Amino acid sequence: MVSTNVKMGMRAVDFYYGESQALFDVSIAIPEKRVTALIGPSGCGKSTFLRMFNRMNDIIDGTHHTGEVMIDKESIYQNNNNLAELRKKVGMVFQKSNPFPKSIFENVAYGPKIHGIKEQTQLQEIVENSLKAAALWDEVKDRLTTNAITLSGGQQQRLCIARALAVEPEILLMDEPASALDPKSTTRIENLIGELQKHYTIIIVTHNMQQAARVSNYTAFFYEGHLVEFDETKKIFTKPEKQQTEDYITGRFG
Amino acid sequence: MHQHLHREIQKLKKSIMIIGTLVEESLRDSIKAIVERDKKRAQTIIKEGSVVDEMEVELEEECLKILALHQPVAIDLRYIISVLKINNDLERIGDLAENIAERAEFLSSQLPIKIPDTIPLMASIVQNMLKNSLNALVNMDTLLATKVCESDDQVDDLHSGMYPLIQSMIEKEPKKIDALLQLLSISRYLERAADHCTNIAEDVEYLVEGHIKRHH
């Protein structure tokens, strides 16, 4: 099914919040430089699944998992893994834009600075390129020193994308990145995802089925912690294999 | 969830069945008009043809509205696309019934000719194909749809057989050539109606299975 290289994946992953199991025997191979959308009702495990890839579930007490999670054919849950390196490689954008209460410039330069880049001209270059890649540069180039929280919601979200891009990740995890935005800003984010896919492997959680259909190449349907179906998006939305998938995307879920 | 969409789809189901029934009736009546030399019946079919035409346009607009407003997916999408296409095929069959009625009208003004058995035979196969293709749609029955497709060959063969038959009839009664030639047209209309029934059956196969099987 997947004709391109596999960037990341899981093998027989079970995940638990304490006693409660959130993922059941999930195995998947996610193609490189493609957009994979995760759909399913609330609580089906898609956000948990997403956060496995940057080990963000680790910060929640009492969680554990079995099985393997891999990026570039390497298991990312080995003890000797460098977490900072992993999070640099795997950027994340959240539902609610969360800019730091700092200038636009500082927001984007923050990550590269942490990773040791000090030279101002180099930082300027990174900020400009990241803002351009996030389709925000033209709107903010004359006011890089203003506080980021003065930006509109759609601009803030693109700033967060620019901030994620600034550390040159290879993977972008997006957890409902457009769900709090108006249609115009949503369109900009969706167009942006189309552009970013040329350089990044993107996984996006969305409750908007039409958005999944528009922006993604592959779609994974989760239900009650199980990966029910994973296939090309055009297949999922025209003739899914599983009745459960069809019932969900057509709104016939009981 | 999605109750609005499913209510709209229920309405489509009703409308396509009404059109289907009207078309079935005019096809049946048009053949009757031929066999019984019934000019009045023929004229009624021609006059009422515009009803189906109007309903076809209405149904198409309904489908477009649903696509725009509800952006259906999967089975719902396939259903609406199938209805759009089936609607068009039904309207074409309706037109062919009108064409047959026009021939009936003309024939009723000519000296009587013997209608060869092939015509009612073809007509009954086509009527069956139409009925079965609509039943296949209602019951999402691909087996029945496949049966409809298979009947098409039979109609094609009967139609081919009409040429030598009409030729020999003309040789026997050359004065009736005008009337006899009408029979060839009728046979061709029936053959085309069978093609449209086949299209409907293929759309049902697509609806159920999600694969476009045409031309295979």
Side-chain angles (χ1 to χ4, degrees), chain B residues 95-108:
Chain B
D95 282 351
L96 290 165
E98 270 182 70
N99 294 146
I100 294 171
E102 283 160 10
R103 302 300 120 191
E105 197 183 10
F106 175 79
L107 284 178
S108 68

Side-chain angles (χ1 to χ4, degrees), chain A residues 24 43 52 86 171 191 212:
Chain A
F24 295 81
M52 292 300 286
L86 174 70
I171 295 161
N191 292 344

Side-chain angles (χ1 to χ4, degrees), chain A residues 210 237-239 246 252, chain B residues 71 73-76 78 209:
Chain A
Q210 296 307 323
F237 284 94
T238 55
K239 182 68 174 88
E246 181 140 295
R252 285 181 173 81
Chain B
Q71 296 143 27
V73 294
I75 180 70
D76 297 336
R78 301 201 309 275
E209 290 166 2

Side-chain angles (χ1 to χ4, degrees), chain A residues 2-209:
Chain A
V2 176
S3 55
T4 52
N5 293 331
V6 172
K7 179 68 180 172
M8 56 213 281
M10 282 187 190
R11 201 175 296 145
V13 168
D14 290 331
F15 181 88
Y16 303 82
Y17 293 101
E19 298 284 295
S20 144
Q21 188 167 356
L23 292 176
F24 295 81
D25 193 26
V26 174
S27 295
I28 192 170
I30 293 175
E32 186 175 33
K33 292 182 183 169
R34 292 285 186 276
V35 181
T36 299
L38 311 180
I39 60 168
S42 297
C44 69
K46 49 192 192 304
S47 291
T48 304
F49 172 86
L50 191 72
R51 291 195 301 257
M52 292 300 286
F53 288 106
N54 63 353
R55 295 187 57 171
M56 252 185 60
N57 291 325
D58 293 14
I59 59 179
I60 303 165
D61 280 342
T63 59
H64 71 282
H65 78 277
T66 58
E68 255 189 313
V69 184
M70 286 150 304
I71 293 176
D72 293 328
K73 298 193 179 103
E74 279 181 30
S75 172
I76 59 168
Y77 279 82
Q78 307 289 350
N79 287 332
N80 56 358
N81 272 124
N82 182 338
L83 213 52
E85 274 306 303
L86 174 70
R87 301 244 168 96
K88 181 175 180 296
K89 198 178 199 176
V90 187
M92 188 154 185
V93 177
F94 299 86
Q95 177 180 3
K96 200 172 172 313
S97 54
N98 51 355
F100 306 132
K102 291 168 175 286
S103 72
I104 294 168
F105 185 93
E106 283 303 321
N107 261 277
V108 184
Y110 190 82
K113 275 184 179 172
I114 283 184
H115 288 285
I117 295 171
K118 293 196 177 68
E119 206 188 318
Q120 196 60 21
T121 50
Q122 200 185 347
L123 285 171
Q124 270 165 357
E125 198 180 318
I126 291 171
V127 169
E128 180 173 340
N129 288 340
S130 304
L131 286 169
K132 278 181 175 163
L136 187 59
W137 176 249
D138 288 339
E139 290 161 58
V140 300
K141 64 182 174 197
D142 301 323
R143 48 173 173 144
L144 292 175
T145 54
T146 49
N147 197 310
I149 57 174
T150 62
L151 295 172
S152 75
Q155 288 173 328
Q156 286 189 14
Q157 195 59 304
R158 278 179 283 144
L159 179 69
C160 292
I161 293 173
R163 192 174 64 188
L165 299 179
V167 294
E168 297 182 326
E170 294 168 23
I171 295 161
L172 274 183
L173 308 178
M174 300 180 137
D175 200 348
E176 298 190 56
S179 63
L181 302 179
D182 68 84
K184 198 176 165 197
S185 302
T186 299
T187 305
R188 299 197 74 142
I189 298 283
E190 288 180 2
N191 292 344
L192 181 57
I193 291 170
E195 282 302 307
L196 294 175
Q197 150 203 347
K198 294 173 191 159
H199 308 285
Y200 306 93
T201 302
I202 297 173
I203 308 184
I204 176 171
V205 170
T206 175
H207 275 296
N208 180 335
M209 219 83 72

Side-chain angles (χ1 to χ4, degrees), chain A residues 238-239, chain B residues 16 74-93 129-130 132-149 194-215:
Chain A
T238 55
K239 182 68 174 88
Chain B
I16 195 85
I75 180 70
D76 297 336
L77 175 66
R78 301 201 309 275
Y79 191 82
I80 291 159
I81 295 299
S82 301
V83 165
L84 256 179
K85 298 177 74 179
I86 290 169
N87 183 35
N88 189 251
D89 278 308
L90 285 175
E91 188 270 337
R92 301 287 304 132
I93 297 172
M129 287 173 76
L130 180 57
N132 285 339
S133 65
L134 292 171
N135 283 341
L137 173 66
V138 172
N139 302 317
M140 307 266 275
D141 183 345
T142 49
L143 279 178
L144 193 56
T146 310
K147 241 177 87 182
V148 171
C149 298
D195 289 344
H196 289 293
C197 295
T198 308
N199 290 349
I200 295 173
E202 284 169 345
D203 288 332
V204 172
E205 287 176 341
Y206 164 74
L207 168 66
V208 178
E209 290 166 2
H211 306 293
I212 297 171
K213 280 193 181 163
R214 219 160 49 236
H215 312 307

